[in-house]
Amino acid sequence: MSLHVDLKILDERLKTQMPAYATAGSAGLDLRACIDAPLTLEPNAWQLVPTGMAIYLQDPGYAAMILPRSGLGHKHGIVLGNLVGLIDSDYQGQLMVSAWNRTDTAFTIEPMERIAQLVIVPVMQAHFNVVDAFADVSARGEGGYGSTGRS
Ligand SMILES: O=c1ccn([C@H]2C[C@H](O)[C@@H](COP(=O)(O)OP(=O)(O)OP(=O)(O)O)O2)c(=O)[nH]1
Ligand SMILES: [Mg+2]
């Protein structure tokens, strides 16, 4: 399924290095660090990194999520300061990545390096119906936090 989304290029360098789905089956497209010089993240430091682009989803039936890249996150510990970035359908500003070095080793992000990925997902806005009691008691009921055991 594909969706048409308006995209503004804010950094000229993206014109030749446009974020794109790497394979036909890719869920995410990699976002690039649109920085002018290498950016060193000291141990446990985080910084907001511009991606050089803005999208306008417009339809409240969609959102975008910024997620870590697994290679950078697992091998180098570069994940997101907000864990997951949620992009509202009415947001028109530049996509920003909160890059967090969760390790005890400094890591340098190079200009235009792919630092995170963007996934567009369907969303439902709920109309909440306030009740005193739910219509029936489910098999789970109020059980959670490991109520079904470990094995
Ligand atoms: O990693 C992120 C997270 C958010 N945003 C942008 C898009 C999003 O629509 C907007 C607001 O994000 P969010 O609602 O998560 O932040 P908030 O702290 O609630 O700010 P606001 O009061 O502006 O909603 O910031 C990014 O560019 N990158
Ligand atoms: Mg918000």
Side-chain angles (χ1 to χ4, degrees), residues 21-41:
Y21 293 102
T23 64
S26 292
L29 50 88
D30 291 338
L31 298 172
R32 294 184 183 275
C34 287
I35 48 181
D36 293 331
L39 170 66
T40 297
L41 286 177

Side-chain angles (χ1 to χ4, degrees), residues 57-70:
L57 292 167
Q58 198 164 7
D59 182 341
Y62 295 95
M65 295 199 297
I66 298 178
L67 301 173
R69 292 185 68 207
S70 56

Side-chain angles (χ1 to χ4, degrees), residues 13-111:
R13 292 172 294 181
L14 282 186
K15 290 190 171 158
T16 52
Q17 298 177 84
M18 249 330 258
Y21 293 102
T23 64
S26 292
L29 50 88
D30 291 338
L31 298 172
R32 294 184 183 275
C34 287
I35 48 181
D36 293 331
L39 170 66
T40 297
L41 286 177
E42 298 299 334
N44 197 36
W46 57 92
Q47 198 145 322
L48 216 47
V49 178
T51 64
M53 57 184 264
I55 59 169
Y56 180 33
L57 292 167
Q58 198 164 7
D59 182 341
Y62 295 95
M65 295 199 297
I66 298 178
L67 301 173
R69 292 185 68 207
S70 56
L72 265 186
H74 180 70
K75 291 186 198 150
H76 303 289
I78 302 304
V79 292
L80 303 175
N82 48 354
L83 304 187
V84 173
L86 182 62
I87 312 303
D88 298 289
S89 66
D90 53 357
Y91 181 69
Q92 298 182 315
Q94 178 164 204
L95 296 177
M96 303 295 289
V97 173
S98 172
W100 172 35
N101 178 4
R102 63 169 175 79
T103 73
D104 54 13
T105 309
F107 182 86
T108 299
I109 298 171
E110 299 298 332

